[in-house]
Amino acid sequence: MADEVILLDFWPSPFGMRLRIALAEKGIKYEYREEDLRNKSPLLLKMNPVHKKIPVLIHNGNPICESLVALQYIDEVWNHEAPLLPSDPYQRAQARFWADFIDKKIYDLGRKIWTEKGEEKEAAKKEFIGALKLLEEQLGDKAYFGGDNLGFVDVALIPFYTWFKGYAAFGNVDIDAECPKFIAWAKKCMQKESVSKSVPDQDKVYEFIVEIRKKLGIE
Amino acid sequence: MADEVILLDFWPSPFGMRLRIALAEKGIKYEYREEDLRNKSPLLLKMNPVHKKIPVLIHNGNPICESLVALQYIDEVWNHEAPLLPSDPYQRAQARFWADFIDKKIYDLGRKIWTEKGEEKEAAKKEFIGALKLLEEQLGDKAYFGGDNLGFVDVALIPFYTWFKGYAAFGNVDIDAECPKFIAWAKKCMQKESVSKSVPDQDKVYEFIVEIRKKLGIE
């Protein structure tokens, strides 16, 4: 019997994009189901009763929640192709550390950039750029964080690039000028079909941010 | 050459305790170095320049930061004895999910219980007990989350039990009565030498919380 793989997702979610990219890298066919987050499906509530959040990967009826956990699951189950984590334990630990760093910093700081004002916005911008610079250092001279191929950190990080037009516009920050090496890496990732076909373009996400800002009553 | 293993830690840290327990379970000798968090050592700042936090595991000069990352590293490097993560990918994903849940809920809610007042404290208490009940469900009829032996979730969770006297006293909450199954599990864990010899007793942590509350100006 063929594997049944379903992804409960929401199109602008960087966390959902991670799983789309990983599944594309591995060449796994799956059914994509868009969720309405203001009217969550009974399936989502059943499959992720603890957090009630997307993305949820459902593999032969078994739910896997939390995107980094699901990324590792995908890497372990479909290990014949496009390994995401390296085999060396220390390199694996490093990859997990930086993916965790991305989870702790990039999403929250990015959100503050387009929702906060004044000092809080400025502090978030400064910390955001600082975080990108740390990631640039970590990238070094490699093509990807994973080396010659997309790895765990690349897949965890590249989805946020789709939000950069919004960060730049509402944060009034020139990320291209501040972090050229990061941008070069992102553009290289976007040239891969597994990435470009799995994520929305920046304009569409920008329009989404405009909508959310309206709903939140932010001028 | 024998492995050189150093642990930069701070005695009441539940995150540090995780690594002490894992190293004890695996029978790994290591040098414990207590950090003064108000005057961090040059070694800590060098080994964890990103977060500047304990615990840091240093293995043959290589630092591994973030306790769940270090737990997985320990499990992968010293894989001959006392496996923490199961071998089945789905069970591994489940263990990682619950360890992540503990990181997202237990520490922060516990801290709110002994630092907040009024409605915020009450809300934290309710959510804390709810989280413990979810963990009880997950434990089911097993001896440990890991089955017949301590596993990844047990090692991630049991350190917080050392803080329970403080949670109970300052939260005015009877955890024993609310979550008897959780308490029975915790007591079973504490009977293991790898745990009991790696963690401080509840009275000592309680006195530490009293001190911190004084410093924070909480009555």
Side-chain angles (χ1 to χ4, degrees):
Chain A
M1 201 182 77
D3 281 323
E4 183 196 58
V5 181
I6 298 168
L7 181 63
L8 307 183
D9 204 345
F10 178 53
W11 68 269
S13 166
F15 305 105
M17 291 177 213
R18 288 172 169 175
L19 305 197
R20 290 174 235 159
I21 294 168
L23 292 166
E25 275 281 303
K26 300 279 188 179
I28 308 304
K29 286 189 183 160
Y30 64 97
E31 182 189 338
Y32 179 95
R33 292 198 195 169
E34 183 75 2
E35 283 284 333
D36 175 357
L37 297 186
R38 287 181 300 177
N39 183 22
K40 294 175 183 175
S41 73
L43 186 63
L44 174 56
L45 300 178
K46 183 183 167 195
M47 290 292 161
N48 190 357
V50 174
H51 299 303
K52 303 176 180 67
K53 286 181 179 172
I54 58 91
V56 180
L57 182 76
I58 310 174
H59 183 205
N60 296 332
N62 292 320
I64 303 103
C65 305
E66 297 295 306
S67 66
L68 292 183
V69 172
L71 271 192
Q72 289 177 83
Y73 177 80
I74 289 169
D75 202 34
E76 292 179 0
V77 169
W78 293 284
N79 57 7
H80 59 289
E81 199 165 334
L84 298 176
L85 279 166
S87 55
D88 173 70
Y90 189 67
Q91 298 305 322
R92 291 164 72 83
Q94 291 296 97
R96 289 187 178 119
F97 173 85
W98 287 106
D100 175 77
F101 174 82
I102 292 161
D103 269 12
K104 285 179 175 150
K105 299 286 180 184
I106 303 299
Y107 180 78
D108 283 348
L109 291 172
R111 189 177 167 86
K112 280 181 185 167
I113 287 175
W114 60 267
T115 56
E116 298 286 354
K117 291 182 179 180
E119 276 182 30
E120 291 205 27
K121 184 200 279 276
E122 291 310 310
K125 275 163 62 174
K126 196 175 163 189
E127 201 180 343
F128 183 81
I129 295 296
L132 295 190
K133 285 186 188 295
L134 275 177
L135 287 162
E136 284 185 327
E137 267 179 42
Q138 192 58 24
L139 179 63
D141 295 324
K142 300 192 296 284
Y144 303 102
F145 289 90
D148 293 331
N149 296 292
L150 279 194
F152 193 65
V153 176
D154 300 284
V155 176
L157 183 57
I158 189 62
F160 292 97
Y161 182 60
T162 65
W163 286 62
F164 270 36
K165 184 178 171 184
Y167 297 162
F170 297 113
N172 192 25
V173 54
D174 188 349
I175 307 174
D176 291 44
E178 295 268 12
C179 305
K181 202 167 160 183
F182 186 95
I183 299 298
W185 160 82
K187 287 184 174 164
K188 200 183 298 165
C189 290
M190 293 300 290
Q191 284 166 11
K192 295 191 82 110
E193 258 198 20
S194 60
V195 179
S196 62
K197 291 199 170 175
S198 302
V199 305
D201 69 39
Q202 290 196 346
D203 290 335
K204 201 174 159 201
V205 177
Y206 172 80
E207 292 303 327
F208 174 73
I209 297 175
V210 169
E211 284 300 310
I212 297 287
R213 280 170 52 95
K214 272 186 201 161
K215 281 178 191 159
L216 293 174
I218 304 170
E219 286 163 31
Chain B
M1 200 183 77
D3 281 323
E4 185 197 57
V5 181
I6 298 169
L7 181 63
L8 307 184
D9 203 344
F10 178 53
W11 69 269
S13 166
F15 305 105
M17 291 177 212
R18 289 171 169 176
L19 304 197
R20 290 174 236 161
I21 295 168
L23 291 167
E25 276 281 303
K26 299 278 188 179
I28 308 304
K29 285 188 185 162
Y30 64 97
E31 182 190 339
Y32 180 94
R33 292 197 197 170
E34 184 75 2
E35 283 284 333
D36 174 356
L37 297 187
R38 286 181 300 177
N39 182 22
K40 294 174 182 175
S41 74
L43 186 64
L44 174 57
L45 299 178
K46 183 182 166 194
M47 290 293 162
N48 190 357
V50 173
H51 299 303
K52 303 177 179 67
K53 286 182 180 172
I54 57 91
V56 180
L57 182 75
I58 309 174
H59 183 205
N60 296 332
N62 292 322
I64 303 104
C65 305
E66 296 296 304
S67 65
L68 292 183
V69 173
L71 272 192
Q72 288 177 84
Y73 177 80
I74 289 169
D75 203 32
E76 291 179 0
V77 170
W78 292 285
N79 57 7
H80 59 291
E81 198 165 334
L84 297 177
L85 279 167
S87 55
D88 173 69
Y90 188 67
Q91 297 305 321
R92 291 164 72 83
Q94 291 296 96
R96 288 186 179 120
F97 173 85
W98 286 105
D100 175 76
F101 173 82
I102 292 161
D103 269 14
K104 284 179 173 150
K105 299 286 181 184
I106 302 298
Y107 180 78
D108 282 349
L109 291 172
R111 190 178 166 88
K112 281 182 185 168
I113 288 175
W114 60 268
T115 57
E116 297 287 353
K117 291 180 178 178
E119 276 181 31
E120 290 206 27
K121 184 201 279 279
E122 292 310 309
K125 275 163 64 174
K126 197 175 163 190
E127 200 179 343
F128 182 82
I129 295 295
L132 295 190
K133 285 185 190 295
L134 275 177
L135 287 162
E136 284 184 325
E137 266 178 42
Q138 191 58 24
L139 179 63
D141 294 326
K142 301 192 293 287
Y144 302 103
F145 289 89
D148 293 333
N149 297 293
L150 280 194
F152 193 65
V153 176
D154 299 284
V155 175
L157 183 58
I158 190 61
F160 293 95
Y161 182 60
T162 65
W163 286 63
F164 270 34
K165 184 179 170 182
Y167 297 160
F170 297 114
N172 193 25
V173 53
D174 188 348
I175 307 174
D176 291 43
E178 295 267 13
C179 305
K181 201 168 161 183
F182 186 96
I183 299 296
W185 160 82
K187 287 184 174 166
K188 201 183 296 164
C189 290
M190 293 300 289
Q191 284 166 9
K192 294 192 83 111
E193 258 197 21
S194 60
V195 179
S196 60
K197 290 197 170 175
S198 302
V199 305
D201 68 41
Q202 290 196 346
D203 290 334
K204 203 176 158 201
V205 177
Y206 172 80
E207 291 303 328
F208 174 73
I209 297 174
V210 169
E211 283 301 309
I212 297 286
R213 280 170 53 95
K214 272 186 201 160
K215 280 177 191 160
L216 293 175
I218 305 170
E219 286 163 30

